[in-house]
Amino acid sequence: MADIWLMRHGAYEGHRPGYHAPHEATLTQEGRDQVQRSLPLPNGITAIVTSPIPRARQAATLVSHLTGLPIVATSGLLAEWRAPSIVLGRSAETYPPAYRAWRARRLANPSLRCEDGESLTDLHTRARHCATFLHHTAQRHGPLLAVSHTLFLGVLTHLPEGPAAFVTAAKAPWPFTERRLLTTHQRAATGPQRPAPYSHSTGPGPT
């Protein structure tokens, strides 16, 4: 079974702990330096896959440039949790009432959505499909580096917890550019899957 390494992107414009990043945030020079310092990659990696969100795409592109490894897929399955628009740029102290109400009910009703955000069930289902996608891509291309985001990576590596994996991920953020191996146990937690409902494109595609 080919290895699958997971990596978070580097530091990005406007980053503040406790805030939800806007979709368009891009890497800072510090973030690019972090990506460079994260090299060399573990032995054997032959291909890269990435989230389409700019900060992850930029990190993956830089790794590809520095190592010569191809980006073989850009997939929305690897995108960060889609936070509701009403909390973007806000800290916990300034969350609006609708989001506070959702937070209070989200574990009891994980299928509940807050406005245009993903529910915990939505996110966990996507992570399960992503694990299957990564497994199939590794079978085709060999050992992978998958570049993604802190909350999503936390859910992906705690799939057996179900939708509550979101809370685990939020309590233990994934450091910038840290790499972790997706273990056999974590991959096996997906079970049989239907084809993923999220499209992905081969090659880098536009930012």
Side-chain angles (χ1 to χ4, degrees):
M1 184 179 293
D3 286 343
I4 299 170
W5 288 89
L6 307 175
M7 174 179 156
R8 187 188 178 193
H9 57 77
Y12 55 88
E13 297 287 350
H15 169 68
R16 289 179 290 175
Y19 286 73
H20 294 287
H23 177 91
E24 67 275 7
T26 57
L27 292 183
T28 60
Q29 183 58 52
E30 178 188 5
R32 291 188 287 271
D33 291 344
Q34 289 168 340
V35 172
Q36 290 184 289
R37 291 195 299 269
S38 73
L39 302 178
L41 297 176
N43 290 335
I45 291 176
T46 57
I48 302 167
V49 296
T50 181
S51 156
I53 294 177
R55 55 192 183 273
R57 278 290 314 285
Q58 289 174 330
T61 300
L62 181 54
V63 172
S64 177
H65 173 74
L66 293 171
T67 63
L69 295 174
I71 297 175
V72 297
T74 298
S75 175
L77 288 168
L78 284 159
E80 181 58 296
W81 174 62
R82 189 177 71 250
S85 301
I86 58 173
V87 300
L88 296 182
R90 292 176 176 263
S91 65
E93 295 76 20
T94 61
Y95 286 156
Y99 187 69
R100 291 178 183 274
W102 174 80
R103 281 168 57 94
R105 300 169 58 195
R106 62 189 179 185
L107 290 179
N109 184 4
S111 295
L112 182 68
R113 297 186 181 96
C114 178
E115 298 195 357
D116 58 348
E118 276 184 298
S119 72
L120 303 195
T121 298
D122 293 336
L123 180 63
H124 185 260
T125 299
R126 177 159 64 88
R128 292 175 63 223
H129 287 306
C130 185
T132 301
F133 159 71
L134 292 175
H135 174 69
H136 291 163
T137 305
Q139 285 182 319
R140 180 179 179 186
H141 295 282
L144 293 177
L145 177 71
V147 183
S148 186
H149 310 266
T150 184
L151 279 171
F152 183 76
L153 290 171
V155 172
L156 185 61
T157 52
H158 291 87
L159 286 174
E161 296 181 20
F166 178 96
V167 178
T168 301
K171 289 180 179 177
W174 194 298
F176 288 130
T177 69
E178 181 173 308
R179 291 187 304 262
R180 302 179 195 175
L181 187 65
L182 185 64
T183 67
T184 302
H185 169 71
Q186 289 164 343
R187 287 195 246 180
T190 60
Q193 295 291 302
R194 297 171 300 181
Y198 294 80
S199 63
H200 65 275
S201 59
T202 301
T207 300

